[in-house]
Amino acid sequence: MLISLAALTGGICGWIFQGYRSVILGGAIPWFGLLAWLLYNEYFVPYQGDGASMWPIAQLFAGSIVAVVGVLAAVAVREVKARLRGSKRP
């Protein structure tokens, strides 16, 4: 689920925005989206366990993964968009 949402978000950013802004937003939006979801679960959902909170570690690993997937999707969509328009770069 996380990977598919990150790929979808990165692809949308690659299609809408131009230049390197699409790549930066393609990685940043999924990363911040995961951070918002983790913080929501940490502070607003009642805690159902014992032990330490692991959201910083989850953000480190899962946030990096969704950011890379978003960047790759944005780059792929930028290349497809450029080929459809017949130019090298959009």
PDB file of all heavy atoms in Angstrom, residues 24-66:
ATOM      1  N   ILE A  24      11.944  16.574  -6.974  1.00  0.00           N
ATOM      2  CA  ILE A  24      12.034  16.927  -5.551  1.00  0.00           C
ATOM      3  C   ILE A  24      10.687  16.714  -4.868  1.00  0.00           C
ATOM      4  O   ILE A  24      10.613  16.113  -3.792  1.00  0.00           O
ATOM      5  CB  ILE A  24      12.523  18.373  -5.398  1.00  0.00           C
ATOM      6  CG1 ILE A  24      13.971  18.477  -5.871  1.00  0.00           C
ATOM      7  CG2 ILE A  24      12.376  18.853  -3.967  1.00  0.00           C
ATOM      8  CD1 ILE A  24      14.479  19.892  -6.011  1.00  0.00           C
ATOM      9  N   LEU A  25       9.619  17.182  -5.481  1.00  0.00           N
ATOM     10  CA  LEU A  25       8.293  16.996  -4.889  1.00  0.00           C
ATOM     11  C   LEU A  25       7.866  15.535  -4.921  1.00  0.00           C
ATOM     12  O   LEU A  25       7.145  15.077  -4.032  1.00  0.00           O
ATOM     13  CB  LEU A  25       7.262  17.859  -5.608  1.00  0.00           C
ATOM     14  CG  LEU A  25       7.367  19.354  -5.348  1.00  0.00           C
ATOM     15  CD1 LEU A  25       6.380  20.114  -6.217  1.00  0.00           C
ATOM     16  CD2 LEU A  25       7.149  19.658  -3.886  1.00  0.00           C
ATOM     17  N   GLY A  26       8.307  14.804  -5.942  1.00  0.00           N
ATOM     18  CA  GLY A  26       7.993  13.378  -6.022  1.00  0.00           C
ATOM     19  C   GLY A  26       8.575  12.586  -4.867  1.00  0.00           C
ATOM     20  O   GLY A  26       8.029  11.558  -4.472  1.00  0.00           O
ATOM     21  N   GLY A  27       9.679  13.040  -4.311  1.00  0.00           N
ATOM     22  CA  GLY A  27      10.244  12.391  -3.138  1.00  0.00           C
ATOM     23  C   GLY A  27       9.772  12.989  -1.830  1.00  0.00           C
ATOM     24  O   GLY A  27       9.629  12.289  -0.832  1.00  0.00           O
ATOM     25  N   ALA A  28       9.526  14.286  -1.818  1.00  0.00           N
ATOM     26  CA  ALA A  28       9.174  14.965  -0.563  1.00  0.00           C
ATOM     27  C   ALA A  28       7.728  14.710  -0.137  1.00  0.00           C
ATOM     28  O   ALA A  28       7.464  14.526   1.057  1.00  0.00           O
ATOM     29  CB  ALA A  28       9.408  16.466  -0.702  1.00  0.00           C
ATOM     30  N   ILE A  29       6.813  14.690  -1.072  1.00  0.00           N
ATOM     31  CA  ILE A  29       5.407  14.525  -0.702  1.00  0.00           C
ATOM     32  C   ILE A  29       5.138  13.152  -0.080  1.00  0.00           C
ATOM     33  O   ILE A  29       4.482  13.077   0.964  1.00  0.00           O
ATOM     34  CB  ILE A  29       4.490  14.832  -1.903  1.00  0.00           C
ATOM     35  CG1 ILE A  29       4.546  16.323  -2.204  1.00  0.00           C
ATOM     36  CG2 ILE A  29       3.057  14.389  -1.627  1.00  0.00           C
ATOM     37  CD1 ILE A  29       3.792  16.734  -3.440  1.00  0.00           C
ATOM     38  N   PRO A  30       5.635  12.035  -0.649  1.00  0.00           N
ATOM     39  CA  PRO A  30       5.426  10.758   0.036  1.00  0.00           C
ATOM     40  C   PRO A  30       6.115  10.692   1.405  1.00  0.00           C
ATOM     41  O   PRO A  30       5.577  10.118   2.352  1.00  0.00           O
ATOM     42  CB  PRO A  30       6.023   9.726  -0.911  1.00  0.00           C
ATOM     43  CG  PRO A  30       5.997  10.351  -2.236  1.00  0.00           C
ATOM     44  CD  PRO A  30       6.193  11.812  -1.988  1.00  0.00           C
ATOM     45  N   TRP A  31       7.295  11.300   1.523  1.00  0.00           N
ATOM     46  CA  TRP A  31       8.013  11.288   2.800  1.00  0.00           C
ATOM     47  C   TRP A  31       7.220  12.024   3.872  1.00  0.00           C
ATOM     48  O   TRP A  31       7.043  11.522   4.974  1.00  0.00           O
ATOM     49  CB  TRP A  31       9.391  11.924   2.626  1.00  0.00           C
ATOM     50  CG  TRP A  31      10.299  11.727   3.783  1.00  0.00           C
ATOM     51  CD1 TRP A  31      11.144  10.686   3.989  1.00  0.00           C
ATOM     52  CD2 TRP A  31      10.451  12.607   4.903  1.00  0.00           C
ATOM     53  NE1 TRP A  31      11.811  10.868   5.165  1.00  0.00           N
ATOM     54  CE2 TRP A  31      11.404  12.029   5.760  1.00  0.00           C
ATOM     55  CE3 TRP A  31       9.879  13.812   5.273  1.00  0.00           C
ATOM     56  CZ2 TRP A  31      11.800  12.626   6.950  1.00  0.00           C
ATOM     57  CZ3 TRP A  31      10.259  14.396   6.466  1.00  0.00           C
ATOM     58  CH2 TRP A  31      11.221  13.806   7.285  1.00  0.00           C
ATOM     59  N   PHE A  32       6.735  13.227   3.543  1.00  0.00           N
ATOM     60  CA  PHE A  32       5.939  13.981   4.500  1.00  0.00           C
ATOM     61  C   PHE A  32       4.578  13.342   4.747  1.00  0.00           C
ATOM     62  O   PHE A  32       4.029  13.450   5.840  1.00  0.00           O
ATOM     63  CB  PHE A  32       5.770  15.432   4.047  1.00  0.00           C
ATOM     64  CG  PHE A  32       6.978  16.267   4.300  1.00  0.00           C
ATOM     65  CD1 PHE A  32       7.681  16.831   3.244  1.00  0.00           C
ATOM     66  CD2 PHE A  32       7.432  16.495   5.577  1.00  0.00           C
ATOM     67  CE1 PHE A  32       8.803  17.600   3.459  1.00  0.00           C
ATOM     68  CE2 PHE A  32       8.559  17.269   5.819  1.00  0.00           C
ATOM     69  CZ  PHE A  32       9.242  17.819   4.757  1.00  0.00           C
ATOM     70  N   GLY A  33       4.027  12.680   3.752  1.00  0.00           N
ATOM     71  CA  GLY A  33       2.769  11.968   3.954  1.00  0.00           C
ATOM     72  C   GLY A  33       2.918  10.821   4.937  1.00  0.00           C
ATOM     73  O   GLY A  33       2.055  10.618   5.809  1.00  0.00           O
ATOM     74  N   LEU A  34       4.004  10.074   4.820  1.00  0.00           N
ATOM     75  CA  LEU A  34       4.256   9.004   5.780  1.00  0.00           C
ATOM     76  C   LEU A  34       4.506   9.569   7.167  1.00  0.00           C
ATOM     77  O   LEU A  34       4.035   9.018   8.167  1.00  0.00           O
ATOM     78  CB  LEU A  34       5.451   8.152   5.332  1.00  0.00           C
ATOM     79  CG  LEU A  34       5.813   7.008   6.271  1.00  0.00           C
ATOM     80  CD1 LEU A  34       4.713   5.973   6.291  1.00  0.00           C
ATOM     81  CD2 LEU A  34       7.128   6.395   5.883  1.00  0.00           C
ATOM     82  N   LEU A  35       5.224  10.672   7.244  1.00  0.00           N
ATOM     83  CA  LEU A  35       5.465  11.313   8.538  1.00  0.00           C
ATOM     84  C   LEU A  35       4.152  11.749   9.181  1.00  0.00           C
ATOM     85  O   LEU A  35       3.940  11.533  10.380  1.00  0.00           O
ATOM     86  CB  LEU A  35       6.396  12.514   8.377  1.00  0.00           C
ATOM     87  CG  LEU A  35       6.711  13.307   9.637  1.00  0.00           C
ATOM     88  CD1 LEU A  35       7.455  12.442  10.638  1.00  0.00           C
ATOM     89  CD2 LEU A  35       7.485  14.554   9.303  1.00  0.00           C
ATOM     90  N   ALA A  36       3.254  12.323   8.403  1.00  0.00           N
ATOM     91  CA  ALA A  36       1.957  12.745   8.939  1.00  0.00           C
ATOM     92  C   ALA A  36       1.159  11.545   9.438  1.00  0.00           C
ATOM     93  O   ALA A  36       0.536  11.597  10.511  1.00  0.00           O
ATOM     94  CB  ALA A  36       1.173  13.501   7.867  1.00  0.00           C
ATOM     95  N   TRP A  37       1.191  10.447   8.699  1.00  0.00           N
ATOM     96  CA  TRP A  37       0.459   9.248   9.109  1.00  0.00           C
ATOM     97  C   TRP A  37       1.051   8.666  10.393  1.00  0.00           C
ATOM     98  O   TRP A  37       0.313   8.274  11.309  1.00  0.00           O
ATOM     99  CB  TRP A  37       0.484   8.229   7.974  1.00  0.00           C
ATOM    100  CG  TRP A  37      -0.236   6.964   8.301  1.00  0.00           C
ATOM    101  CD1 TRP A  37      -1.581   6.781   8.402  1.00  0.00           C
ATOM    102  CD2 TRP A  37       0.367   5.702   8.583  1.00  0.00           C
ATOM    103  NE1 TRP A  37      -1.845   5.481   8.729  1.00  0.00           N
ATOM    104  CE2 TRP A  37      -0.680   4.803   8.834  1.00  0.00           C
ATOM    105  CE3 TRP A  37       1.675   5.261   8.626  1.00  0.00           C
ATOM    106  CZ2 TRP A  37      -0.439   3.477   9.146  1.00  0.00           C
ATOM    107  CZ3 TRP A  37       1.899   3.934   8.933  1.00  0.00           C
ATOM    108  CH2 TRP A  37       0.855   3.055   9.187  1.00  0.00           C
ATOM    109  N   LEU A  38       2.374   8.612  10.483  1.00  0.00           N
ATOM    110  CA  LEU A  38       3.019   8.085  11.686  1.00  0.00           C
ATOM    111  C   LEU A  38       2.737   8.963  12.899  1.00  0.00           C
ATOM    112  O   LEU A  38       2.460   8.452  13.995  1.00  0.00           O
ATOM    113  CB  LEU A  38       4.532   7.968  11.471  1.00  0.00           C
ATOM    114  CG  LEU A  38       4.999   6.843  10.563  1.00  0.00           C
ATOM    115  CD1 LEU A  38       6.485   6.990  10.277  1.00  0.00           C
ATOM    116  CD2 LEU A  38       4.699   5.492  11.176  1.00  0.00           C
ATOM    117  N   LEU A  39       2.817  10.266  12.736  1.00  0.00           N
ATOM    118  CA  LEU A  39       2.551  11.158  13.860  1.00  0.00           C
ATOM    119  C   LEU A  39       1.080  11.133  14.277  1.00  0.00           C
ATOM    120  O   LEU A  39       0.765  11.250  15.463  1.00  0.00           O
ATOM    121  CB  LEU A  39       2.990  12.581  13.532  1.00  0.00           C
ATOM    122  CG  LEU A  39       4.507  12.773  13.437  1.00  0.00           C
ATOM    123  CD1 LEU A  39       4.821  14.202  13.044  1.00  0.00           C
ATOM    124  CD2 LEU A  39       5.184  12.401  14.733  1.00  0.00           C
ATOM    125  N   TYR A  40       0.194  10.973  13.317  1.00  0.00           N
ATOM    126  CA  TYR A  40      -1.222  10.823  13.653  1.00  0.00           C
ATOM    127  C   TYR A  40      -1.428   9.577  14.514  1.00  0.00           C
ATOM    128  O   TYR A  40      -2.119   9.619  15.532  1.00  0.00           O
ATOM    129  CB  TYR A  40      -2.078  10.748  12.385  1.00  0.00           C
ATOM    130  CG  TYR A  40      -3.504  10.371  12.660  1.00  0.00           C
ATOM    131  CD1 TYR A  40      -4.398  11.307  13.171  1.00  0.00           C
ATOM    132  CD2 TYR A  40      -3.957   9.078  12.440  1.00  0.00           C
ATOM    133  CE1 TYR A  40      -5.716  10.971  13.451  1.00  0.00           C
ATOM    134  CE2 TYR A  40      -5.267   8.721  12.717  1.00  0.00           C
ATOM    135  CZ  TYR A  40      -6.139   9.668  13.228  1.00  0.00           C
ATOM    136  OH  TYR A  40      -7.430   9.316  13.510  1.00  0.00           O
ATOM    137  N   ASN A  41      -0.834   8.461  14.079  1.00  0.00           N
ATOM    138  CA  ASN A  41      -0.972   7.229  14.853  1.00  0.00           C
ATOM    139  C   ASN A  41      -0.291   7.331  16.214  1.00  0.00           C
ATOM    140  O   ASN A  41      -0.720   6.689  17.173  1.00  0.00           O
ATOM    141  CB  ASN A  41      -0.393   6.038  14.084  1.00  0.00           C
ATOM    142  CG  ASN A  41      -1.344   5.557  13.024  1.00  0.00           C
ATOM    143  OD1 ASN A  41      -2.548   5.637  13.195  1.00  0.00           O
ATOM    144  ND2 ASN A  41      -0.804   5.062  11.939  1.00  0.00           N
ATOM    145  N   GLU A  42       0.753   8.116  16.313  1.00  0.00           N
ATOM    146  CA  GLU A  42       1.468   8.255  17.581  1.00  0.00           C
ATOM    147  C   GLU A  42       0.719   9.117  18.583  1.00  0.00           C
ATOM    148  O   GLU A  42       0.651   8.780  19.764  1.00  0.00           O
ATOM    149  CB  GLU A  42       2.858   8.843  17.328  1.00  0.00           C
ATOM    150  CG  GLU A  42       3.678   9.035  18.560  1.00  0.00           C
ATOM    151  CD  GLU A  42       4.069   7.747  19.246  1.00  0.00           C
ATOM    152  OE1 GLU A  42       4.127   6.691  18.591  1.00  0.00           O
ATOM    153  OE2 GLU A  42       4.294   7.790  20.468  1.00  0.00           O
ATOM    154  N   TYR A  43       0.138  10.224  18.138  1.00  0.00           N
ATOM    155  CA  TYR A  43      -0.406  11.190  19.074  1.00  0.00           C
ATOM    156  C   TYR A  43      -1.929  11.234  19.164  1.00  0.00           C
ATOM    157  O   TYR A  43      -2.460  11.778  20.121  1.00  0.00           O
ATOM    158  CB  TYR A  43       0.116  12.591  18.740  1.00  0.00           C
ATOM    159  CG  TYR A  43       1.600  12.697  18.995  1.00  0.00           C
ATOM    160  CD1 TYR A  43       2.491  12.831  17.944  1.00  0.00           C
ATOM    161  CD2 TYR A  43       2.101  12.642  20.288  1.00  0.00           C
ATOM    162  CE1 TYR A  43       3.864  12.917  18.181  1.00  0.00           C
ATOM    163  CE2 TYR A  43       3.454  12.728  20.537  1.00  0.00           C
ATOM    164  CZ  TYR A  43       4.327  12.869  19.478  1.00  0.00           C
ATOM    165  OH  TYR A  43       5.657  12.937  19.716  1.00  0.00           O
ATOM    166  N   PHE A  44      -2.639  10.701  18.181  1.00  0.00           N
ATOM    167  CA  PHE A  44      -4.092  10.796  18.212  1.00  0.00           C
ATOM    168  C   PHE A  44      -4.796   9.461  18.360  1.00  0.00           C
ATOM    169  O   PHE A  44      -5.920   9.415  18.825  1.00  0.00           O
ATOM    170  CB  PHE A  44      -4.615  11.510  16.967  1.00  0.00           C
ATOM    171  CG  PHE A  44      -4.212  12.949  16.911  1.00  0.00           C
ATOM    172  CD1 PHE A  44      -3.286  13.386  15.985  1.00  0.00           C
ATOM    173  CD2 PHE A  44      -4.736  13.861  17.801  1.00  0.00           C
ATOM    174  CE1 PHE A  44      -2.893  14.708  15.944  1.00  0.00           C
ATOM    175  CE2 PHE A  44      -4.359  15.186  17.772  1.00  0.00           C
ATOM    176  CZ  PHE A  44      -3.426  15.604  16.839  1.00  0.00           C
ATOM    177  N   VAL A  45      -4.178   8.373  17.955  1.00  0.00           N
ATOM    178  CA  VAL A  45      -4.768   7.047  18.102  1.00  0.00           C
ATOM    179  C   VAL A  45      -4.348   6.494  19.460  1.00  0.00           C
ATOM    180  O   VAL A  45      -3.175   6.574  19.815  1.00  0.00           O
ATOM    181  CB  VAL A  45      -4.290   6.118  16.953  1.00  0.00           C
ATOM    182  CG1 VAL A  45      -4.798   4.702  17.150  1.00  0.00           C
ATOM    183  CG2 VAL A  45      -4.749   6.665  15.617  1.00  0.00           C
ATOM    184  N   PRO A  46      -5.283   5.940  20.229  1.00  0.00           N
ATOM    185  CA  PRO A  46      -4.908   5.402  21.546  1.00  0.00           C
ATOM    186  C   PRO A  46      -3.850   4.297  21.421  1.00  0.00           C
ATOM    187  O   PRO A  46      -3.922   3.437  20.543  1.00  0.00           O
ATOM    188  CB  PRO A  46      -6.220   4.835  22.089  1.00  0.00           C
ATOM    189  CG  PRO A  46      -7.286   5.527  21.333  1.00  0.00           C
ATOM    190  CD  PRO A  46      -6.709   5.847  19.989  1.00  0.00           C
ATOM    191  N   TYR A  47      -2.874   4.351  22.316  1.00  0.00           N
ATOM    192  CA  TYR A  47      -1.756   3.402  22.287  1.00  0.00           C
ATOM    193  C   TYR A  47      -2.226   2.028  22.739  1.00  0.00           C
ATOM    194  O   TYR A  47      -2.895   1.898  23.757  1.00  0.00           O
ATOM    195  CB  TYR A  47      -0.641   3.914  23.191  1.00  0.00           C
ATOM    196  CG  TYR A  47       0.641   3.142  23.068  1.00  0.00           C
ATOM    197  CD1 TYR A  47       1.328   3.111  21.867  1.00  0.00           C
ATOM    198  CD2 TYR A  47       1.148   2.443  24.148  1.00  0.00           C
ATOM    199  CE1 TYR A  47       2.503   2.412  21.750  1.00  0.00           C
ATOM    200  CE2 TYR A  47       2.329   1.737  24.038  1.00  0.00           C
ATOM    201  CZ  TYR A  47       3.006   1.722  22.846  1.00  0.00           C
ATOM    202  OH  TYR A  47       4.160   1.022  22.722  1.00  0.00           O
ATOM    203  N   GLN A  48      -1.875   0.977  21.998  1.00  0.00           N
ATOM    204  CA  GLN A  48      -2.349  -0.368  22.285  1.00  0.00           C
ATOM    205  C   GLN A  48      -1.186  -1.330  22.478  1.00  0.00           C
ATOM    206  O   GLN A  48      -1.169  -2.416  21.912  1.00  0.00           O
ATOM    207  CB  GLN A  48      -3.237  -0.861  21.153  1.00  0.00           C
ATOM    208  CG  GLN A  48      -4.454  -0.014  20.943  1.00  0.00           C
ATOM    209  CD  GLN A  48      -5.265  -0.455  19.757  1.00  0.00           C
ATOM    210  OE1 GLN A  48      -4.869  -1.343  19.027  1.00  0.00           O
ATOM    211  NE2 GLN A  48      -6.395   0.175  19.551  1.00  0.00           N
ATOM    212  N   GLY A  49      -0.239  -0.969  23.238  1.00  0.00           N
ATOM    213  CA  GLY A  49       0.895  -1.863  23.447  1.00  0.00           C
ATOM    214  C   GLY A  49       1.764  -1.356  24.568  1.00  0.00           C
ATOM    215  O   GLY A  49       1.451  -0.381  25.243  1.00  0.00           O
ATOM    216  N   ASP A  50       2.859  -2.047  24.754  1.00  0.00           N
ATOM    217  CA  ASP A  50       3.799  -1.595  25.756  1.00  0.00           C
ATOM    218  C   ASP A  50       5.175  -1.522  25.115  1.00  0.00           C
ATOM    219  O   ASP A  50       5.476  -2.225  24.176  1.00  0.00           O
ATOM    220  CB  ASP A  50       3.805  -2.517  26.965  1.00  0.00           C
ATOM    221  CG  ASP A  50       4.070  -3.960  26.583  1.00  0.00           C
ATOM    222  OD1 ASP A  50       3.972  -4.287  25.387  1.00  0.00           O
ATOM    223  OD2 ASP A  50       4.375  -4.760  27.472  1.00  0.00           O
ATOM    224  N   GLY A  51       5.987  -0.658  25.616  1.00  0.00           N
ATOM    225  CA  GLY A  51       7.323  -0.520  25.067  1.00  0.00           C
ATOM    226  C   GLY A  51       7.532   0.849  24.462  1.00  0.00           C
ATOM    227  O   GLY A  51       6.694   1.743  24.560  1.00  0.00           O
ATOM    228  N   ALA A  52       8.649   0.977  23.831  1.00  0.00           N
ATOM    229  CA  ALA A  52       9.054   2.263  23.275  1.00  0.00           C
ATOM    230  C   ALA A  52       8.342   2.538  21.952  1.00  0.00           C
ATOM    231  O   ALA A  52       7.955   1.630  21.224  1.00  0.00           O
ATOM    232  CB  ALA A  52      10.557   2.288  23.042  1.00  0.00           C
ATOM    233  N   SER A  53       8.215   3.803  21.653  1.00  0.00           N
ATOM    234  CA  SER A  53       7.655   4.221  20.380  1.00  0.00           C
ATOM    235  C   SER A  53       8.721   4.075  19.288  1.00  0.00           C
ATOM    236  O   SER A  53       9.870   4.449  19.476  1.00  0.00           O
ATOM    237  CB  SER A  53       7.199   5.674  20.467  1.00  0.00           C
ATOM    238  OG  SER A  53       6.766   6.111  19.220  1.00  0.00           O
ATOM    239  N   MET A  54       8.335   3.548  18.165  1.00  0.00           N
ATOM    240  CA  MET A  54       9.300   3.269  17.104  1.00  0.00           C
ATOM    241  C   MET A  54       9.069   4.134  15.868  1.00  0.00           C
ATOM    242  O   MET A  54       9.608   3.841  14.806  1.00  0.00           O
ATOM    243  CB  MET A  54       9.221   1.787  16.716  1.00  0.00           C
ATOM    244  CG  MET A  54       9.554   0.846  17.854  1.00  0.00           C
ATOM    245  SD  MET A  54      11.235   0.990  18.392  1.00  0.00           S
ATOM    246  CE  MET A  54      12.059   0.091  17.130  1.00  0.00           C
ATOM    247  N   TRP A  55       8.263   5.201  15.972  1.00  0.00           N
ATOM    248  CA  TRP A  55       7.959   5.969  14.770  1.00  0.00           C
ATOM    249  C   TRP A  55       9.184   6.659  14.171  1.00  0.00           C
ATOM    250  O   TRP A  55       9.246   6.791  12.936  1.00  0.00           O
ATOM    251  CB  TRP A  55       6.809   6.944  15.004  1.00  0.00           C
ATOM    252  CG  TRP A  55       7.118   8.131  15.856  1.00  0.00           C
ATOM    253  CD1 TRP A  55       6.902   8.257  17.182  1.00  0.00           C
ATOM    254  CD2 TRP A  55       7.680   9.364  15.414  1.00  0.00           C
ATOM    255  NE1 TRP A  55       7.315   9.491  17.605  1.00  0.00           N
ATOM    256  CE2 TRP A  55       7.794  10.191  16.541  1.00  0.00           C
ATOM    257  CE3 TRP A  55       8.110   9.853  14.178  1.00  0.00           C
ATOM    258  CZ2 TRP A  55       8.312  11.473  16.471  1.00  0.00           C
ATOM    259  CZ3 TRP A  55       8.622  11.130  14.109  1.00  0.00           C
ATOM    260  CH2 TRP A  55       8.725  11.922  15.239  1.00  0.00           C
ATOM    261  N   PRO A  56      10.194   7.102  14.930  1.00  0.00           N
ATOM    262  CA  PRO A  56      11.361   7.696  14.270  1.00  0.00           C
ATOM    263  C   PRO A  56      12.133   6.689  13.418  1.00  0.00           C
ATOM    264  O   PRO A  56      12.605   7.018  12.326  1.00  0.00           O
ATOM    265  CB  PRO A  56      12.226   8.204  15.427  1.00  0.00           C
ATOM    266  CG  PRO A  56      11.300   8.364  16.572  1.00  0.00           C
ATOM    267  CD  PRO A  56      10.281   7.294  16.397  1.00  0.00           C
ATOM    268  N   ILE A  57      12.220   5.451  13.903  1.00  0.00           N
ATOM    269  CA  ILE A  57      12.918   4.425  13.132  1.00  0.00           C
ATOM    270  C   ILE A  57      12.086   4.050  11.905  1.00  0.00           C
ATOM    271  O   ILE A  57      12.634   3.842  10.814  1.00  0.00           O
ATOM    272  CB  ILE A  57      13.213   3.216  14.023  1.00  0.00           C
ATOM    273  CG1 ILE A  57      14.178   3.641  15.123  1.00  0.00           C
ATOM    274  CG2 ILE A  57      13.784   2.056  13.222  1.00  0.00           C
ATOM    275  CD1 ILE A  57      14.368   2.646  16.214  1.00  0.00           C
ATOM    276  N   ALA A  58      10.777   3.980  12.071  1.00  0.00           N
ATOM    277  CA  ALA A  58       9.909   3.694  10.925  1.00  0.00           C
ATOM    278  C   ALA A  58      10.022   4.790   9.879  1.00  0.00           C
ATOM    279  O   ALA A  58      10.055   4.519   8.673  1.00  0.00           O
ATOM    280  CB  ALA A  58       8.462   3.549  11.386  1.00  0.00           C
ATOM    281  N   GLN A  59      10.112   6.038  10.335  1.00  0.00           N
ATOM    282  CA  GLN A  59      10.259   7.141   9.381  1.00  0.00           C
ATOM    283  C   GLN A  59      11.597   7.082   8.670  1.00  0.00           C
ATOM    284  O   GLN A  59      11.694   7.381   7.484  1.00  0.00           O
ATOM    285  CB  GLN A  59      10.082   8.480  10.088  1.00  0.00           C
ATOM    286  CG  GLN A  59      10.184   9.682   9.184  1.00  0.00           C
ATOM    287  CD  GLN A  59       9.113   9.710   8.118  1.00  0.00           C
ATOM    288  OE1 GLN A  59       8.045   9.151   8.280  1.00  0.00           O
ATOM    289  NE2 GLN A  59       9.405  10.369   7.017  1.00  0.00           N
ATOM    290  N   LEU A  60      12.636   6.690   9.389  1.00  0.00           N
ATOM    291  CA  LEU A  60      13.960   6.602   8.786  1.00  0.00           C
ATOM    292  C   LEU A  60      13.988   5.587   7.657  1.00  0.00           C
ATOM    293  O   LEU A  60      14.436   5.894   6.542  1.00  0.00           O
ATOM    294  CB  LEU A  60      15.002   6.245   9.850  1.00  0.00           C
ATOM    295  CG  LEU A  60      16.433   6.079   9.351  1.00  0.00           C
ATOM    296  CD1 LEU A  60      16.983   7.421   8.896  1.00  0.00           C
ATOM    297  CD2 LEU A  60      17.287   5.473  10.430  1.00  0.00           C
ATOM    298  N   PHE A  61      13.495   4.404   7.899  1.00  0.00           N
ATOM    299  CA  PHE A  61      13.569   3.353   6.892  1.00  0.00           C
ATOM    300  C   PHE A  61      12.429   3.435   5.873  1.00  0.00           C
ATOM    301  O   PHE A  61      12.664   3.498   4.667  1.00  0.00           O
ATOM    302  CB  PHE A  61      13.591   1.979   7.564  1.00  0.00           C
ATOM    303  CG  PHE A  61      14.867   1.720   8.288  1.00  0.00           C
ATOM    304  CD1 PHE A  61      14.922   1.764   9.661  1.00  0.00           C
ATOM    305  CD2 PHE A  61      16.034   1.474   7.591  1.00  0.00           C
ATOM    306  CE1 PHE A  61      16.105   1.551  10.338  1.00  0.00           C
ATOM    307  CE2 PHE A  61      17.228   1.263   8.242  1.00  0.00           C
ATOM    308  CZ  PHE A  61      17.267   1.292   9.627  1.00  0.00           C
ATOM    309  N   ALA A  62      11.181   3.449   6.351  1.00  0.00           N
ATOM    310  CA  ALA A  62      10.048   3.488   5.421  1.00  0.00           C
ATOM    311  C   ALA A  62       9.968   4.822   4.702  1.00  0.00           C
ATOM    312  O   ALA A  62       9.619   4.879   3.517  1.00  0.00           O
ATOM    313  CB  ALA A  62       8.743   3.210   6.168  1.00  0.00           C
ATOM    314  N   GLY A  63      10.329   5.913   5.383  1.00  0.00           N
ATOM    315  CA  GLY A  63      10.330   7.220   4.727  1.00  0.00           C
ATOM    316  C   GLY A  63      11.349   7.292   3.609  1.00  0.00           C
ATOM    317  O   GLY A  63      11.088   7.872   2.558  1.00  0.00           O
ATOM    318  N   SER A  64      12.504   6.687   3.825  1.00  0.00           N
ATOM    319  CA  SER A  64      13.514   6.650   2.760  1.00  0.00           C
ATOM    320  C   SER A  64      13.041   5.827   1.577  1.00  0.00           C
ATOM    321  O   SER A  64      13.254   6.201   0.423  1.00  0.00           O
ATOM    322  CB  SER A  64      14.818   6.076   3.300  1.00  0.00           C
ATOM    323  OG  SER A  64      15.310   6.865   4.349  1.00  0.00           O
ATOM    324  N   ILE A  65      12.385   4.715   1.861  1.00  0.00           N
ATOM    325  CA  ILE A  65      11.899   3.853   0.782  1.00  0.00           C
ATOM    326  C   ILE A  65      10.828   4.557  -0.039  1.00  0.00           C
ATOM    327  O   ILE A  65      10.883   4.550  -1.273  1.00  0.00           O
ATOM    328  CB  ILE A  65      11.389   2.519   1.350  1.00  0.00           C
ATOM    329  CG1 ILE A  65      12.568   1.703   1.877  1.00  0.00           C
ATOM    330  CG2 ILE A  65      10.620   1.731   0.302  1.00  0.00           C
ATOM    331  CD1 ILE A  65      12.164   0.492   2.674  1.00  0.00           C
ATOM    332  N   VAL A  66       9.845   5.180   0.626  1.00  0.00           N
ATOM    333  CA  VAL A  66       8.786   5.836  -0.146  1.00  0.00           C
ATOM    334  C   VAL A  66       9.325   7.050  -0.896  1.00  0.00           C
ATOM    335  O   VAL A  66       8.837   7.367  -1.984  1.00  0.00           O
ATOM    336  CB  VAL A  66       7.566   6.207   0.720  1.00  0.00           C
ATOM    337  CG1 VAL A  66       6.904   4.976   1.288  1.00  0.00           C
ATOM    338  CG2 VAL A  66       7.889   7.192   1.797  1.00  0.00           C
TER     339      VAL A  66
END
